[in-house]
Amino acid sequence: MTATLWKCDQMRAGRLYSRSMFDTREEAERFARKMQQMEPDQMMRIEAIEARQVWN
């Protein structure tokens, strides 16, 4: 695991719909592109976070 994780939030109507975590920005962006094609009404937000902020 790296010290930085990438959080991808899917937003619908201004509310959090789903949240996924990725090891790299490229993985998060690939996921966001795929989801945007499948559900174009969702907004995607990708953000870097420190791994220590994530609870198991």
Side-chain angles (χ1 to χ4, degrees):
M1 180 184 279
T2 62
T4 301
L5 292 176
W6 294 87
K7 175 175 70 170
C8 183
D9 290 344
Q10 293 172 261
M11 310 289 285
R12 180 179 283 151
R15 300 183 76 160
L16 180 62
Y17 178 71
S18 178
R19 176 174 284 159
S20 302
M21 305 295 276
F22 298 93
D23 289 330
T24 66
R25 181 178 182 94
E26 291 78 22
E27 290 174 320
E29 289 175 344
R30 189 176 323 125
F31 173 78
R33 280 192 304 271
K34 184 186 292 186
M35 292 307 296
Q36 196 69 46
Q37 290 174 350
M38 293 172 37
E39 298 189 47
D41 64 326
Q42 290 187 11
M43 298 293 293
M44 306 297 281
R45 180 174 61 191
I46 298 172
E47 179 181 352
I49 61 169
E50 294 181 29
R52 65 182 174 89
Q53 294 177 330
V54 179
W55 291 70
N56 289 340

